[in-house]
Amino acid sequence: MAAHTGGLTAATHPGSARGVVRIAGLVRAFGDRKVLDGLELSIAAGEFVALLGRSGSGKSTLLRALAGLDHEVTGTGKIDAPAEVSVVFQDARLLPWKRVLDNVVLGLPGPDALDRGRAALAEVGLEGREKAWPVELSGGEQQRVSLARSLVREPELLLADEPFGALDALTRIRMHTLLRRLCERHRPAVLLVTHDVDEAIVLADRVVVLDAGRIAADVPVGSGVARRHGSPEYAALRDELLARLGVDPVAADPAAGDPPALDPTAEESAA
Amino acid sequence: MSTHAPTLTKTAVTGAEQAVSTAAPPATPRRRRLGPGRPIPYGWALGPVLLLAVWAAGSAAGLIDPRNLSAPWTVVSTAGDLIADGRLQSNLATSAQRALLGLLFGVAAGLALAVLSGLSRLGEGVIDGPVQIKRAIPSLALIPLLILWFGIGESMKVITIALGVFVPVYIHTHNGLRTIDNRYAELAETVRLTRPQFLRHVVLPGALPGFLLGMRFAVTAAWLALVVVEQVNATSGIGYMMELARTYGQTDIIIVGLVVYGLLGLVSDALVRLVERRALSWRRTLAG
């Protein structure tokens, strides 16, 4: 984990000119209400960015703009995004009438698609479940299939819209570990939309807070020490982010009250 | 309960627990069940058997006039006679052919129209209105017009059946196509499916449950329309056989015809359900 964190932070250049994602002056409006208002953001290759924000702050709108899914939204601005973009939705969004492997390789070109799909399933720990129907899987397993479906496309940019929001706490911790490991191997740039401050700190190289359609804070997450629950750096970062989100950190019960299992290094064995 | 109480006393750590278990042997009083209770084996056969018994008893006791309703054994022996001289088979073959042809044309038309109207806004504008108008008119009310146009031959009969069949197929397939979750369309965009791929992998499988539901209604509609067309100007078929029996007051033959219609309905519905279970095995785990 430590080596991984070091490697990722070394590649991190917030606002770098050679970012794979460059967003300039992005405006998106629903009717008269401007959800994104002149947003500027760039993400470097292989960088893991967590996007925090209250509900209605425009997180999902930004993600949908990057994914090219905002057909009926009016807006201006410039988006440079790589050609290979994959999206992980909050719901696993598997086609219920296709078996797991067929879901993973949906629309995947090439004669070796099935083999790549099998390899991707093995990577997320679902070897042997290729022929299962999605309804036969648990929520966490479905979300792992959806991760496999995204990663088998070797994306340069992985967009994740609260991918673990619907999972129970223990499964979520396992998924954090899995996601970090997969990102370490495939090294896509990641934009993870979340409302969970701890998830953001544990996973990301950089945490961006969105407020009223603009970036209100852009905080790099330091080395592995800061990721450890209970460390003073962690608590300070958590308090800062919560304050940016308009939550009183004391009332929000800081890291001390959380179960120790939230420590990502301790989680490696559990996953 | 009997196994529960001893374990409680054995492992009981608090006096309170022990007191409860000794004072009242069933430690937790069993609640009264509010649901209908356990299923009775072969419970579904109870009603039909009772009905048959009343019919048989009534006939044996002479309470039921054979001119109104023949005895069950008369019906059975009549069925045997009809099969022996081949009348039942030839009439059944004629009926089945009409129903199948009508079903075939009706399903093809309903499916084609539903796909056109479900996948294109223009198609919907052109097709959906007339179909809804047709839906408001009972197919059987069209028979006088159909007789004028197509005569009283086979084509009129097949067309009447097809008209009854295509409406449910159209309605349910169209609904299936239109209610495919928009989230799947989003997914298809993010994995960059082409339009033909989108149709093949998302739209058509997504509309299949609707189509098969339409098929179940369609099969029923086909038999219903068959009965009517065979009792109007027909010279063969189960309906004709029954109509002829009416003029001679042969209730036994009428009952045989009714039983045959009932069996045809049951068998065809079971067939569609079998296809449904096969084709929709992806949700069998939910249905149980």
Side-chain angles (χ1 to χ4, degrees), chain B residues 109-119 127 169-171 173-174 177:
Chain B
L111 194 59
L113 290 174
V115 169
L116 278 177
S117 143
L119 299 182
I127 294 167
V169 171
Y170 171 88
I171 298 284
T173 311
H174 181 255
L177 287 167

Side-chain angles (χ1 to χ4, degrees), chain A residues 6 57 62 105 134 151 174 178 187 191 198 205 228 247 258:
Chain A
S57 60
L62 172 58
V105 301
L151 289 171
R174 296 218 171 116
L178 176 67
R187 307 204 48 92
L191 183 67
D198 292 302
D205 304 316
R228 299 189 71 108
V247 181
D258 285 312

Side-chain angles (χ1 to χ4, degrees), chain A residues 64 71 83 91 93 97 135, chain B residues 183 186 189 192 201 285:
Chain A
R64 292 174 66 84
H71 302 298
D91 56 310
R93 214 166 286 198
W97 48 82
V135 287
Chain B
R183 298 173 313 136
E186 265 184 23
E189 284 176 39
R192 298 209 226 140
H201 296 298
T285 41

Side-chain angles (χ1 to χ4, degrees), chain A residues 64 68-69 71 83-85 87 89 91 93-98 106-107 133 135-136 149 153, chain B residues 180 182-184 186-187 189-193 197 200-203 205-206 281-283 285-286:
Chain A
R64 292 174 66 84
L69 288 173
H71 302 298
E84 282 306 319
V85 179
V87 184
F89 299 95
D91 56 310
R93 214 166 286 198
L94 305 177
L95 296 176
W97 48 82
K98 287 203 174 285
L106 181 68
W133 296 111
V135 287
E136 296 170 330
R149 181 180 60 200
R153 284 146 229 277
Chain B
I180 287 175
N182 187 44
R183 298 173 313 136
Y184 295 141
E186 265 184 23
L187 170 71
E189 284 176 39
T190 62
V191 299
R192 298 209 226 140
L193 293 191
Q197 282 176 326
R200 196 178 127 214
H201 296 298
V202 181
V203 175
S281 54
W282 51 271
R283 32 177 226 189
T285 41
L286 271 187

Side-chain angles (χ1 to χ4, degrees), chain A residues 26-180:
Chain A
L26 190 67
V27 177
R28 286 288 183 272
F30 294 99
D32 290 338
R33 204 169 69 85
K34 276 189 181 171
V35 177
L36 296 179
D37 191 3
L39 183 127
E40 314 273 336
L41 178 69
S42 72
I43 302 173
E47 189 184 18
F48 197 132
V49 176
L51 182 64
L52 278 173
R54 281 178 279 192
S55 44
S57 60
K59 301 188 300 273
S60 292
T61 309
L62 172 58
L63 186 125
R64 292 174 66 84
L66 272 169
L69 288 173
D70 52 351
H71 302 298
E72 273 144 34
V73 186
T74 53
T76 55
K78 196 165 158 299
I79 298 180
D80 279 340
E84 282 306 319
V85 179
S86 279
V87 184
V88 179
F89 299 95
Q90 177 168 10
D91 56 310
R93 214 166 286 198
L94 305 177
L95 296 176
W97 48 82
K98 287 203 174 285
R99 293 179 190 272
V100 162
L101 180 60
D102 295 325
N103 262 292
V104 171
V105 301
L106 181 68
L108 192 65
D112 60 338
L114 285 175
D115 288 332
R116 287 164 60 199
R118 275 188 206 99
L121 273 175
E123 250 191 309
V124 299
L126 287 176
E127 206 162 15
R129 304 304 302 272
E130 288 87 353
K131 292 224 171 297
W133 296 111
V135 287
E136 296 170 330
L137 303 182
S138 70
E141 287 172 327
Q142 292 187 14
Q143 200 54 281
R144 280 194 269 162
V145 175
S146 136
L147 264 179
R149 181 180 60 200
S150 288
L151 289 171
V152 77
R153 284 146 229 277
E154 295 292 340
E156 289 175 76
L157 173 64
L158 180 67
L159 299 168
D161 190 0
E162 301 191 20
F164 313 130
L167 303 179
D168 66 88
L170 287 175
T171 310
R172 202 179 309 155
I173 294 165
R174 296 218 171 116
M175 293 297 289
H176 288 166
T177 314
L178 176 67
L179 181 61
R180 281 214 61 110

